[in-house]
Amino acid sequence: MLENAFKAEVEKVSILYEKQKVSESLKVKDRLQFEMNNAVRRCGAKERLFDWVHISAELKDIDLSLVSPRDLDKAKSKAIELYLGSKRRDQDRDVNKLLCD
């Protein structure tokens, strides 16, 4: 009944809600990448494998229920690439042994 009586207003609210959802999603993705980068660095420093068991143990302050598995995999891959290409880490250590299949 409200939708029929206030069609234009309901459409505006729906559009605003979608924009807010997209905005929140982008914040979560940015935060996810930041936290994933930190988790991979901590795993590398502790010489632990870059697998989900060790990485998820290092992830802090992020609600993984808001993130899709695809986004998690992307963030993990990007974080590992950044870590391997980093000039700030100890270059003498063999980090290839930390990579898992």
Side-chain angles (χ1 to χ4, degrees):
M1 195 160 94
L2 285 174
E3 189 173 351
N4 289 333
F6 302 101
K7 188 171 184 158
E9 288 82 1
V10 170
E11 285 179 12
K12 286 179 186 176
V13 168
S14 295
I15 291 170
L16 289 173
Y17 177 72
E18 283 299 316
K19 286 182 181 179
Q20 184 65 27
K21 253 177 46 175
V22 168
S23 173
E24 291 298 319
S25 174
L26 291 175
K27 288 179 190 174
V28 168
K29 287 181 182 178
D30 289 343
R31 176 120 176 108
L32 170 67
Q33 190 61 58
F34 176 78
E35 292 294 334
M36 188 67 72
N37 292 345
N38 287 338
V40 167
R41 280 196 301 268
R42 286 191 293 267
C43 284
K46 296 175 183 177
E47 295 190 16
R48 293 184 177 160
L49 289 177
F50 296 138
D51 59 0
W52 281 115
V53 173
H54 294 109
I55 289 176
S56 60
E58 296 294 337
L59 282 174
K60 309 237 189 286
D61 301 328
I62 190 137
D63 186 6
L64 296 178
S65 67
L66 300 174
V67 184
S68 71
R70 186 176 181 189
D71 289 337
L72 280 172
D73 283 335
K74 279 184 182 178
K76 176 185 169 192
S77 298
K78 187 175 179 180
I80 291 172
E81 285 177 25
L82 286 172
Y83 182 77
L84 294 176
S86 175
K87 302 294 183 203
R88 296 179 64 193
R89 68 174 177 80
D90 184 7
Q91 297 294 321
D92 295 332
R93 282 190 319 139
D94 181 25
V95 292
N96 291 325
K97 66 181 179 182
L98 302 178
L99 298 173
C100 52
D101 297 329

